Amino acid sequence: MTQDNTSLLWQTKVAGRLHDPAEKALVLLRDPAGHENGTSRALSRLLGLHELTADTVDADGDDALAHTLFPDGIQKTMYRHVQHADWWAAAADRPQWPMETISVQTAKGEKSLRIAPWAQVRWTSKPELKHPLTGECYDMGKHGGLSDTDFGDIKDRSFDHHTALLSALHKQGDEQHDWRKILLTLWRFAPELSEENDNGRLGALWKLLPADTRIPEHSIWDHLDLTSAFAGGFAADPDGQVALLTIALGPVQPFIAASRKMEDLWAGSHLLARLSWEAMRVVCEQFGPDAVLFPRLRGVPQVDLWLREQGVPSTLFQNCDWNRGSTDSNPLFAAALPNRFVAVVPASAAATLATAIETHVRDWLQQLGQKTLERLLDAAGLEVHPDQYCHQQMREQLAGFPEFHWAAVPFSLIGVSSKERQTGLDTTQLSAAMQPFFGTAKGQACGFLNTEAWKLLQEELTLSESSGKTSTFFAPNPGVLYPAVHDLAERALAATKALRTFKQAPQHGWRCTLSGESEWLTIDAAELRIPAAQRKDTMWNRIARKNSAWVKDGEYLGALSAIKRLWPSLFAREISQALGKDIGRFVVSTHTMALAQQLDNWLQQGGMKASGLDDLQRRYQSSLGAVALPRGIVRKHQSVNPAALRDASQLPALLDLAYELESEQEASQIRQVVQQTIANAAGNSRKLEAYYSLLLMDGDRMGAWLAGGDGTADDSYAISYRDSFHSQVQRGFDEHAARQPRIQAYGAQKRALSPSRHLAISGALNDFSLTVVRHVVEQEHLGRLIYAGGDDVFAMLPVADVLSAMQRLRHAYSGTDPEHEGGRDPRGLTLSKGFAYLNGQLMRMMGSRATASCGAVIAHHEAPLAAVRRELAAAEQRAKNEGGRDAFSITVIKRSGGALRLTAKWGEPMHVLCKLRDFFQDDNVSRRAAYNTLEWLNAQELPVPEGDGAMLNSLLGYQLDRQASGEIRHQAPELARRLTALTLQKNAAQRIDWLRNFISVAEFLAREVRSNGAGDEA
């Protein structure tokens, strides 16, 4: 595009973003001037968008928008782009409404303008938010009234908020309008309102203010984003046409799974997320971040960093968490982006853009490979020469990575006439393009075009009033066919994956010890023929002696493995330079995590040292460093007892040192002193905990949620049109629809897929992964988040925290918490009706109908990580397959050999498991309670429980009761009854084994300490 066209693109996008005021829902039906005369008009004047030119639409134009948004005129082409973008965005996201004919005196006569009275909502009087995935109603009236807020004050606050953003641009030297910077600044910060006198009401609600008060299930920001995306696409295309571009990178799981330690797992997921951002970055730089419909990019730390580089005022980012953190708890270290995205782009640019994205991603990775080599050669004490064999290896092994797939579908497949708001749509070309992917006959409707929703939407619906008037209820435009265009793009993308070509470069020498797929990097090709035991002075041997954090002795890495291993250091350096301060990269070891609960207890008791600890710290001072502790421990104790906290960070380091000492006598002394120190908190000679847990959670049927309403997914993944209406509108709709079957059928029909649905899902997953997950894992518990991206969570926790964290994450994913429904949670995070409230921020989660499955593994800290990770993946798959989704599966890998596996649904099984664990853990319950019960269940002659399970109930109650004393005994009958009920739900052949595993897992979790001492059954 020429410079003039580029300027027109960004100016058009700004106009699209300002066509509706942010405060629309708060002033509608209250402001006599109408919502159009609010912030949008004032800001448009401020930016000079109202100026008349020779080619403008004047105040006497033929559309009401010209009288309100730009009363003094606007460039005609820009106006039409914004006008059509608004229509398409509205049609894609929501239905139109009955319009009554009223007299409006214009140059060309009367026009039909007014919404039917029954479909009007004064939202401030009844502020409701509807969850777009469930239809649940969240009553904002319970969180502070809005009706008593003066609409004039709201308009002033909105205007002041927006002008403050523009003023920040002016203060940094932008004297002339830089439309690109204005667009980026408004996109990022206009949805964030933070005022000292807000009292948490308007600021918490601002991000979720509805675009349409009659359908309060998508925000005004969703509508403005989509309008800006369409308008920019129209403006950048010679023919004013747009397309949906879908891009996917891979592979995901194989790349992440090739890991030997925790840092490898983090690096794999984070590097893939970074590659995804580099792909999206090309779209953002050319057409703006609002062009990306999925995932939602607003608030993603890596995107924020890019925005600052693009000239968005740095002062606006001062309160962002990523701009304040100085360790790897900084959100920039979170893997927050999926490996695929959907964008609205100019139709003529789609193919060129896809090629540019692929080229950029591959070039970026090649540059990263060269940086990695430079760091490796420097660490090995070797000079960098371009003719070294490792440079050729790096280029060849990175060629073709990542896998890149794309598909684009233009909206021009939809035929329209010049008067698109009054006529139907021609879907002949679109239907023909869809047929090969659905396997239907020529001329046969398929996909969304064959749904009841489209059969109702493809023609105008009319509503007959009791007065005899007839008004238009719905008039379609191309935006309403977003579900069909999106589905076609997804199927075309799947087809490209099936047809992929793969070229493997020849690998002649010894392979990478981490992945086993490619040669390990070397400066001399002859070294690749030397067996491992005979290698003396390779690059990797040298690095292992100088920097064991990068590579251990005996490790020889290929290109991708080397990049993964160095990525934490490279990224930490990049972020340190960007933020102007050192960002430390720490990883909590499995050993430290195993001890987390004991260290926390020790600190809570004052952090008293055992005799001999000071001497050990002095003796090994030169080789003893502090290890990273879980954030929860640091946060709780850093201001209370910083000296003891430093000692706590050295206790695991001493134990690690003991494993490396050649003298068993010295090692034994260290272990004894550390054990005695920790025992001070418990008042006994308790052993050191040796087990930790890994947790892997994944949302169920995410593809179906993203496709809900496209005509191909189960109806349970979409709500009806009526369910999306405001409760006041539902009553009026029911009254009118009762007399007209077609209107009634329309209300009952499942809502069509929409961009706002994708934005809602993406926004929910962003808030869940970036904010809520970290709070649950690292603040409510003593865990460490490895990665959280979208619906995926991978975390490390102390064994004592694993059940609580699993259940809490499951509740948070849906935004529901039965234990605190309707009330505030004392832990700070409140979940209700699909929403989460944390630190004054109201966030939409996935809703009560969305489910997630979770796998957990409990393992000894010395167990090989690769094996533990395989067990974790298997546990998650058992939850989805054996558990039938919405389930959890726990694996206990015993140090003494063997494993326990338990798979069950959330809800009652998890509650009973926690109750039984607590029962076994009580001081008044003997460990024989579990052992005797298991011994009895292991008897070969035990009959399979049948009927009401009275015998099983009685015998379980007896075994639990006889080994307990005091008040805890009263819990035995109830536990036996609930255990019996759960057991009887299983197939007869599985009942005894399942019950045995259930009790065994509960008993293992109940052990105060799981150590590896002599004779210990762990």
Side-chain angles (χ1 to χ4, degrees):
M1 289 184 292
T2 65
Q3 184 174 355
D4 289 342
N5 288 339
T6 301
S7 177
L8 178 62
L9 161 68
W10 297 105
Q11 190 173 0
T12 302
K13 289 178 69 69
V14 171
R17 183 157 292 281
L18 296 179
H19 83 279
D20 264 343
E23 73 277 10
K24 177 180 177 180
L26 300 175
V27 302
L28 198 64
L29 301 182
R30 299 176 69 202
D31 184 0
H35 72 271
E36 296 94 342
N37 287 282
T39 302
S40 291
R41 181 178 182 183
L43 288 172
S44 296
R45 286 180 174 275
L46 183 68
L47 293 172
L49 292 174
H50 65 286
E51 296 177 2
L52 277 168
T53 71
D55 184 24
T56 61
V57 176
D58 62 24
D60 291 326
D62 61 355
D63 194 282
L65 189 61
H67 295 275
T68 55
L69 182 58
F70 306 120
D72 295 324
I74 189 174
Q75 287 189 20
K76 191 171 184 178
T77 53
M78 186 192 305
Y79 167 72
R80 288 302 181 193
H81 289 328
V82 174
Q83 182 186 50
H84 288 181
D86 180 31
W87 292 347
W88 282 34
D93 277 338
R94 58 189 186 268
Q96 301 299 319
W97 293 87
M99 306 292 288
E100 289 187 341
T101 301
I102 60 172
S103 297
V104 176
Q105 193 62 40
T106 69
K108 296 185 179 181
E110 297 182 345
K111 301 189 73 175
S112 173
L113 293 175
R114 191 173 68 184
I115 300 294
W118 65 265
Q120 296 181 8
V121 175
R122 187 178 176 123
W123 193 76
T124 51
S125 299
K126 193 171 177 54
E128 292 179 356
L129 295 177
K130 284 296 186 81
H131 198 288
L133 306 181
T134 65
E136 287 182 295
C137 179
Y138 190 88
D139 187 358
M140 289 300 305
K142 296 180 179 179
H143 298 269
L146 293 170
S147 59
D148 58 346
T149 305
D150 180 67
F151 66 80
D153 176 61
I154 291 174
K155 290 168 64 175
D156 289 342
R157 289 166 69 180
S158 177
F159 181 77
D160 291 345
H161 170 58
H162 284 80
T163 52
L165 300 178
L166 300 177
S167 176
L169 282 168
H170 179 74
K171 288 179 181 178
Q172 72 175 16
D174 294 342
E175 299 294 337
Q176 300 296 322
H177 288 330
D178 185 324
W179 294 103
R180 186 172 183 271
K181 288 183 183 179
I182 291 172
L183 183 282
L184 296 178
T185 301
L186 293 178
W187 171 80
R188 174 60 179 89
F189 288 106
E192 291 190 0
L193 180 67
S194 178
E195 298 176 313
E196 293 182 2
N197 299 322
D198 181 49
N199 297 321
R201 292 192 301 175
L202 188 56
L205 176 62
W206 190 252
K207 285 185 178 181
L208 296 176
L209 284 173
D212 191 318
T213 58
R214 299 155 298 188
I215 316 174
E217 44 89 89
H218 65 284
S219 74
I220 186 66
W221 309 107
D222 295 338
H223 178 63
L224 296 179
D225 286 348
L226 187 57
T227 301
S228 176
F230 277 138
F234 294 152
D237 189 87
D239 299 320
Q241 299 290 338
V242 296
L244 277 189
L245 175 66
T246 305
I247 288 178
L249 307 180
V252 178
Q253 292 306 323
F255 181 68
I256 295 175
S259 305
R260 184 162 290 170
K261 55 183 183 176
M262 282 297 167
E263 197 161 77
D264 293 337
L265 291 173
W266 172 85
S269 60
H270 192 270
L271 184 55
L272 278 177
R274 178 57 179 273
L275 288 171
S276 294
W277 161 240
E278 292 300 326
M280 298 176 202
R281 177 177 184 156
V282 178
V283 178
C284 294
E285 290 181 344
Q286 293 192 31
F287 304 109
D290 48 18
V292 179
L293 301 186
F294 182 87
R296 181 197 293 274
L297 298 179
R298 186 183 292 115
V300 175
Q302 187 68 57
V303 181
D304 276 358
L305 204 60
W306 169 77
L307 288 170
R308 201 180 65 167
E309 294 171 356
Q310 301 302 304
V312 175
S314 58
T315 55
L316 300 178
F317 297 98
Q318 287 179 346
N319 294 326
C320 294
D321 289 342
W322 61 263
N323 202 24
R324 295 182 292 183
S326 58
T327 70
D328 65 349
S329 62
N330 188 309
L332 282 164
F333 284 87
L337 292 170
N339 67 317
R340 55 183 295 139
F341 67 94
V342 179
V344 172
V345 300
S348 60
T352 303
L353 183 63
T355 301
I357 293 171
E358 181 177 11
T359 299
H360 172 73
V361 171
R362 298 254 169 87
D363 288 349
W364 183 88
L365 187 60
Q366 287 285 354
Q367 292 171 13
L368 180 63
Q370 292 305 310
K371 290 180 184 178
T372 301
L373 274 180
E374 291 172 7
R375 295 290 301 276
L376 288 172
L377 292 168
D378 180 66
L382 299 169
E383 294 185 7
V384 179
H385 297 293
D387 57 348
Q388 289 166 322
Y389 185 59
C390 55
H391 293 283
Q392 177 184 337
Q393 287 179 298
M394 180 65 75
R395 289 190 296 271
E396 291 177 351
Q397 291 182 24
L398 293 183
F401 188 90
E403 295 175 6
F404 187 87
H405 309 281
W406 68 275
V409 178
F411 277 83
S412 58
L413 291 174
I414 305 166
V416 295
S417 69
S418 59
K419 296 182 178 181
E420 60 187 58
R421 297 191 85 186
Q422 286 76 40
T423 62
L425 302 173
D426 182 359
T427 60
T428 304
Q429 292 186 67
L430 178 61
S431 180
M434 295 173 68
Q435 284 165 8
F437 297 96
F438 286 85
T440 56
K442 184 177 180 180
Q444 182 180 347
C446 54
F448 178 73
L449 300 180
N450 194 38
T451 63
E452 290 300 318
W454 173 241
K455 293 174 183 177
L456 287 166
L457 297 179
Q458 63 182 316
E459 297 177 357
E460 291 185 2
L461 292 177
T462 56
L463 184 68
S464 299
E465 303 287 345
S466 57
S467 62
K469 292 182 179 179
T470 299
S471 53
T472 300
F473 188 88
F474 183 84
N477 69 52
V480 79
L481 283 169
Y482 175 87
V485 174
H486 177 269
D487 188 29
L488 179 54
E490 288 294 306
R491 289 173 181 266
L493 181 69
T496 66
K497 291 182 178 180
L499 294 174
R500 67 187 181 199
T501 57
F502 178 73
K503 294 182 179 180
Q504 174 66 54
Q507 305 294 307
H508 301 294
W510 289 94
R511 304 299 177 90
C512 168
T513 55
L514 190 60
S515 70
E517 294 180 354
S518 59
E519 297 173 346
W520 51 272
L521 301 174
T522 177
I523 59 173
D524 184 358
E527 291 180 332
L528 292 172
R529 296 189 293 272
I530 303 175
Q534 300 176 25
R535 299 169 195 160
K536 302 299 182 183
D537 194 35
T538 68
M539 175 177 72
W540 296 107
N541 295 133
R542 293 187 178 196
I543 296 171
R545 290 192 291 267
K546 292 184 178 181
N547 193 338
S548 60
W550 282 358
V551 60
K552 300 290 185 184
D553 187 37
E555 285 189 314
Y556 302 85
L557 307 181
L560 284 172
S561 296
I563 291 174
K564 280 175 61 176
R565 189 59 63 81
L566 266 67
W567 177 243
S569 299
L570 293 170
F571 183 71
R573 172 181 285 191
E574 175 187 326
I575 298 306
S576 296
Q577 293 174 347
L579 300 184
K581 56 185 175 183
D582 289 336
I583 304 293
R585 173 65 187 146
F586 307 111
V587 175
V588 178
S589 70
T590 57
H591 195 189
T592 306
M593 184 56 65
L595 293 168
Q597 281 286 343
Q598 291 178 315
L599 292 173
D600 185 44
N601 292 336
W602 177 70
L603 287 166
Q604 289 184 36
Q605 297 298 322
M608 300 295 293
K609 298 182 181 181
S611 175
L613 182 60
D614 283 330
D615 180 59
L616 289 176
Q617 289 173 312
R618 285 191 296 270
R619 188 190 314 172
Y620 298 108
Q621 182 177 5
S622 60
S623 57
L624 186 66
V627 302
L629 295 173
R631 285 182 63 200
I633 291 180
V634 176
R635 188 188 68 256
K636 287 170 64 176
H637 303 289
Q638 63 184 349
S639 60
V640 178
N641 194 343
L645 188 64
R646 285 193 295 272
D647 291 332
S649 69
Q650 289 194 334
L651 292 176
L654 280 166
L655 292 173
D656 292 339
L657 179 64
Y659 282 103
E660 300 174 4
L661 291 175
E662 294 183 3
S663 171
E664 179 55 33
Q665 183 178 358
E666 290 185 53
S668 178
Q669 181 188 7
I670 291 175
R671 285 192 287 267
Q672 183 178 4
V673 171
V674 173
Q675 181 176 328
Q676 289 174 348
T677 299
I678 289 179
N680 286 335
N684 56 45
S685 58
R686 58 189 292 191
K687 297 177 181 178
L688 299 177
E689 175 66 88
Y691 283 77
Y692 72 102
S693 66
L694 289 179
L695 174 156
L696 186 63
M697 193 180 88
D698 180 51
D700 295 328
R701 303 187 186 280
M702 183 52 60
W705 280 112
L706 290 170
D710 69 349
T712 62
D714 190 299
D715 278 352
S716 61
Y717 297 99
I719 62 175
S720 69
Y721 281 98
R722 183 190 177 279
D723 286 344
S724 67
F725 298 164
H726 190 284
S727 59
Q728 178 180 320
V729 176
Q730 286 179 344
R731 290 191 292 270
F733 179 86
D734 292 343
E735 178 183 342
H736 288 78
R739 301 188 302 271
Q740 299 171 78
R742 290 192 70 216
I743 300 298
Q744 192 172 46
Y746 169 73
Q749 178 61 43
K750 295 297 182 178
R751 280 215 55 176
L753 181 67
S754 65
S756 67
R757 178 186 178 89
H758 284 164
L759 289 171
I761 292 174
S762 179
L765 296 179
N766 275 6
D767 286 334
F768 172 71
S769 61
L770 290 174
T771 303
V772 175
V773 171
R774 190 174 293 275
H775 173 85
V776 170
V777 173
E778 298 188 353
Q779 295 194 41
E780 294 186 358
H781 300 89
L782 299 181
R784 178 69 168 178
L785 187 62
I786 307 300
Y787 67 76
D791 60 329
D792 293 325
V793 177
F794 182 26
M796 179 168 52
L797 294 130
V799 175
D801 282 356
V802 65
L803 293 186
S804 173
M806 289 168 66
Q807 183 65 84
R808 184 67 161 161
L809 287 171
R810 170 63 184 85
H811 285 155
Y813 181 73
S814 296
T816 58
D817 184 359
E819 295 182 7
H820 300 90
E821 188 64 45
R824 288 292 175 89
D825 191 314
R827 290 168 289 185
L829 172 66
T830 297
L831 307 167
S832 179
K833 295 187 176 180
F835 291 83
Y837 187 80
L838 177 65
N839 298 330
Q841 184 179 1
L842 183 64
M843 298 168 285
R844 184 190 290 117
M845 297 291 101
M846 283 294 293
S848 59
R849 294 183 187 176
T851 63
S853 298
C854 182
V857 170
I858 298 166
H860 194 277
H861 71 87
E862 290 184 341
L865 182 60
V868 176
R869 182 67 175 82
R870 285 194 297 270
E871 283 285 356
L872 182 63
E876 185 201 36
Q877 287 304 304
R878 283 198 306 274
K880 289 184 177 291
N881 299 326
E882 295 179 21
R885 293 187 173 84
D886 196 22
F888 66 91
S889 186
I890 299 174
T891 297
V892 176
I893 305 174
K894 293 186 175 182
R895 180 69 167 172
S896 58
L900 301 171
R901 294 181 176 87
L902 173 67
T903 302
K905 289 287 189 182
W906 298 107
E908 178 67 358
M910 175 60 81
H911 295 156
V912 176
L913 183 63
C914 292
K915 287 285 186 182
L916 189 60
R917 176 203 58 186
D918 295 344
F919 180 85
F920 288 149
Q921 206 169 45
D922 194 277
D923 291 338
N924 293 314
V925 177
S926 168
R927 289 187 71 176
R928 301 302 305 175
Y931 295 156
N932 288 351
T933 304
L934 290 171
E935 185 177 2
W936 161 64
L937 286 172
N938 287 333
Q940 296 296 320
E941 66 275 9
L942 186 69
V944 175
E946 299 289 353
D948 61 1
M951 179 183 293
L952 178 63
N953 184 25
S954 175
L955 292 173
L956 279 174
Y958 170 74
Q959 293 291 347
L960 297 177
D961 177 81
R962 68 194 291 256
Q963 299 296 333
S965 60
E967 291 296 320
I968 195 70
R969 291 185 63 185
H970 299 309
Q971 294 185 18
E974 178 66 12
L975 274 172
R977 183 191 65 79
R978 295 171 74 177
L979 268 173
T980 300
L982 290 175
T983 303
L984 292 175
Q985 294 174 11
K986 302 297 176 182
N987 293 332
Q990 300 175 333
R991 288 173 184 169
I992 296 300
D993 287 342
W994 185 86
L995 179 58
R996 187 186 297 120
N997 278 347
F998 194 99
I999 294 173
S1000 297
V1001 170
E1003 187 278 328
F1004 189 91
L1005 293 171
R1007 297 183 193 179
E1008 194 171 16
V1009 174
R1010 290 144 290 267
S1011 68
N1012 57 344
D1016 196 296
E1017 295 187 39

